[in-house]
């Protein structure tokens, strides 16, 4: 995928320890934006990247999962021009709770790089990973007020299946994306 500049290539990679410093500035941007709630896969904000990576690998393999969690793979979106841009998580299957709210895929773009088309590209690449994993369709959900995420899903051929109130009282949009 080449987007948004001619000649710029973005790819999904497995998180790597060598990018610790860059990862730290990436996390700091979310914290500065008051979005630390998105970093719930970390134990705390001093978590060493190698610990995070070990935990992510365990989770992908189905070990040490918190109660009620399913195996989940995490990838970084990196650009050969701008470096680390975003993170995407792909759950290998749904539970009744995820079917209701959460779905298969979660993602976040670093605040300074939003609105350049990277979020759309990240989900497109995440769908390829999901297909490679054997999924034939994925559920992606977002809050009704999350216009950016809803657009990202719609631009990736998401079909709105339902809108319903989630356990927090907010409206959730549920989209299916066919991968066949
Ligand atoms: C959702 C998110 C990943 C989108 O990333 P992004 O890189 O900004 O997305 P894109 O640049 O590909 O934008 C996709 C579309 O959304 C629109 N959009 C993006 N941000 C928007 C905003 N704040 N308000 C309105 N529209 C917005 C873009 O204009 C574009 O639509 P268009 O092509 O019709 O113009 C990013 O906003 C984010 O990380 N948000 C916080 C985490 C989050 O909400 N994750 C999803 C949980 S379900």
């Amino acid at each position: 995928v080449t987007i948004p500049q001619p000649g710029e290539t973005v790819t999904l990679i497995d998180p790597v320890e060598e990018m610790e410093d860059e990862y730290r500035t990436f996390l700091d941007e979310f914290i500065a934006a008051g979005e630390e709630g998105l970093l719930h896969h970390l134990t705390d904000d001093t978590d060493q990247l190698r610990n995070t990576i070990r935990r992510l690998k365990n989770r992908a393999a189905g070990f040490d999962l918190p109660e009620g969690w399913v195996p989940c793979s995490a990838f970084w979106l990196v650009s050969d021009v701008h470096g680390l841009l975003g993170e995407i998580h792909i759950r290998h299957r749904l539970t009744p709770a995820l079917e209701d709210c959460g779905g298969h895929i979660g993602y976040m773009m670093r605040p300074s790089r939003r609105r350049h088309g990277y979020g759309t590209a990240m989900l497109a690449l995440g769908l390829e990973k999901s297909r490679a994993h054997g999924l034939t369709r994925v559920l992606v959900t977002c809050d009704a007020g999350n216009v950016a995420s809803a657009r990202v899903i719609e631009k990736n051929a998401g079909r709105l299946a339902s809108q319903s109130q989630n356990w927090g009282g907010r409206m959730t949009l549920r989209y299916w994306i066919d991968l066949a």
Side-chain angles (χ1 to χ4, degrees), residues 63-137:
F63 302 128
D64 296 337
L65 290 169
E67 179 70 25
W69 286 39
V70 299
C72 172
S73 302
F75 301 97
W76 283 348
L77 186 78
V78 292
S79 148
D80 56 351
V81 178
H82 298 298
L84 180 56
L85 297 171
E87 189 166 302
I88 184 163
H89 292 224
I90 302 170
R91 295 164 199 115
H92 300 184
R93 57 185 164 80
L94 296 176
T95 60
L98 287 171
E99 191 139 353
D100 190 38
C101 174
H104 284 100
I105 302 186
Y107 42 79
M108 56 196 199
M109 182 58 52
R110 73 189 297 162
S112 64
R113 295 285 173 202
R114 290 182 189 166
R115 303 205 76 162
H116 293 289
Y118 293 121
T120 304
M122 181 161 65
L123 180 57
L125 291 167
L127 296 177
E128 285 177 19
K129 292 280 185 193
S130 305
R131 191 181 290 116
H133 199 79
L135 294 171
T136 53
R137 62 175 195 154

Side-chain angles (χ1 to χ4, degrees), residues 25-47:
T25 58
F26 173 83
L27 295 183
D28 286 346
E29 274 193 29
F30 289 95
I31 295 165
E35 295 183 353
E36 53 278 347
L38 293 173
L39 309 176
H40 48 73
H41 57 296
L42 307 179
T43 49
D44 62 56
D45 63 9
T46 62
D47 200 5

